[in-house]
Amino acid sequence: SQQGEEDPQALSIQEGENATMNCSYKTSINNLQWYRQNSGRGLVHLILIRSNEREKHSGRLRVTLDTSKKSSSLLITASRAADTASYFCATDMKYSGNTPLVFGKGTRLSVIA
Amino acid sequence: GAVVSQHPSWVICKSGTSVKIECRSLDFQATTMFWYRQFPKQSLMLMATSNEGSKATYEQGVEKDKFLINHASLTLSTLTVTSAHPEDSSFYICSASEDRVNYGYTFGSGTRLTVV
């Protein structure tokens, strides 16, 4: 079953603008991960944030986690046309190697050149 | 880093036939493999969890007799879609867990199944 929701479901921005996507989840987690998926392709792991972390950066990506609100956000700064893709958050409730990631519904991002 | 090789990347088959999808962990042992299904413009939905040497655990609503999963070795898991129908057309993707990797999960590149 899906853990939660992402919003917006779809987002269209101009190149150079920032894109913010939000994710909410329902249960306690060990960590939360963000993935990118280009149309019809596999998943690309972007970033992982652990439950005891509040913010993490990786290049143009900034992820925040608020465990009290059970929510996370992904910010992509200075967006490029190549960032056009679907973005999913995935929660890892109890990492033991035997528990699956549970994915949100995703946000379809379109960056217009 | 850890790599999961998934084949085929796409397949077209006739209704009523069976299709086998393979996922191999190339440089690590995958005790557990997860199989997901993704319909167009939707998210990944977990179908089943397979553990090497034991029966797979299926999610509610997934027919175990239709989606046969075999995890006979620590490096190979297969998903067979039996008696495929057009509604089985979807994107299937596997994921394996490997403890040495920071985040522990590696995904295959996916298989686009089209049943005609």
Side-chain angles (χ1 to χ4, degrees):
Chain A
S1 60
Q2 285 182 303
Q3 170 71 292
E5 305 272 335
E6 272 114 317
D7 77 87
Q9 291 186 6
L11 178 62
S12 183
I13 59 174
Q14 295 289 327
E15 203 166 34
E17 294 181 338
N18 295 341
T20 300
M21 290 160 270
N22 302 297
C23 166
S24 62
Y25 57 92
K26 298 175 183 175
T27 63
S28 296
I29 61 171
N30 179 52
N31 64 66
L32 185 144
Q33 304 176 30
W34 284 90
Y35 288 82
R36 183 184 73 205
Q37 184 182 37
N38 285 36
S39 181
R41 308 290 291 274
L43 295 172
V44 175
H45 179 263
L46 296 177
I47 196 166
L48 176 151
I49 186 165
R50 301 190 189 282
S51 60
N52 60 353
E53 297 176 311
R54 292 296 167 258
E55 187 172 314
K56 205 163 183 179
H57 297 255
S58 176
R60 293 185 296 114
L61 306 179
R62 172 177 170 257
V63 170
T64 63
L65 179 64
D66 187 336
T67 52
S68 66
K69 295 181 179 178
K70 291 186 169 58
S71 66
S72 173
S73 68
L74 171 67
L75 168 68
I76 303 174
T77 60
S79 63
R80 306 165 182 169
D83 295 329
T84 295
S86 290
Y87 292 82
F88 297 93
C89 67
T91 51
D92 185 358
M93 284 179 276
K94 183 181 177 182
Y95 179 64
S96 64
N98 295 325
T99 55
L101 291 177
V102 180
F103 287 83
K105 293 184 177 180
T107 294
R108 294 191 304 279
L109 173 66
S110 298
V111 181
I112 302 167
Chain B
V3 175
V4 172
S5 176
Q6 183 171 347
H7 293 280
S9 55
W10 61 270
V11 58
I12 300 173
C13 71
K14 291 184 178 181
S15 287
T17 61
S18 295
V19 173
K20 180 184 283 189
I21 301 169
E22 291 188 351
C23 275
R24 294 181 183 272
S25 56
L26 297 187
D27 50 1
F28 68 99
Q29 294 183 330
T31 307
T32 303
M33 191 81 77
F34 306 106
W35 287 92
Y36 294 84
R37 179 170 54 186
Q38 183 182 32
F39 291 108
K41 297 186 178 180
Q42 294 188 24
S43 186
L44 284 76
M45 297 296 292
L46 181 69
M47 297 177 66
T49 300
S50 72
N51 294 295
E52 185 266 336
S54 63
K55 290 184 178 180
T57 302
Y58 291 82
E59 295 298 298
Q60 193 172 10
V62 178
E63 300 174 60
K64 62 180 181 180
D65 294 330
K66 181 171 184 60
F67 298 99
L68 301 179
I69 291 174
N70 185 283
H71 195 156
S73 77
L74 287 171
T75 59
L76 175 64
S77 178
T78 62
L79 167 67
T80 301
V81 183
T82 63
S83 187
H85 291 284
E87 57 265 30
D88 299 323
S89 298
S90 188
F91 189 67
Y92 294 86
I93 190 165
C94 61
S95 171
S97 173
E98 203 273 327
D99 291 342
R100 291 177 297 168
V101 179
N102 286 338
Y103 54 90
Y105 298 92
T106 304
F107 287 84
S109 55
T111 297
R112 172 76 56 195
L113 170 63
T114 302
V115 184
V116 297

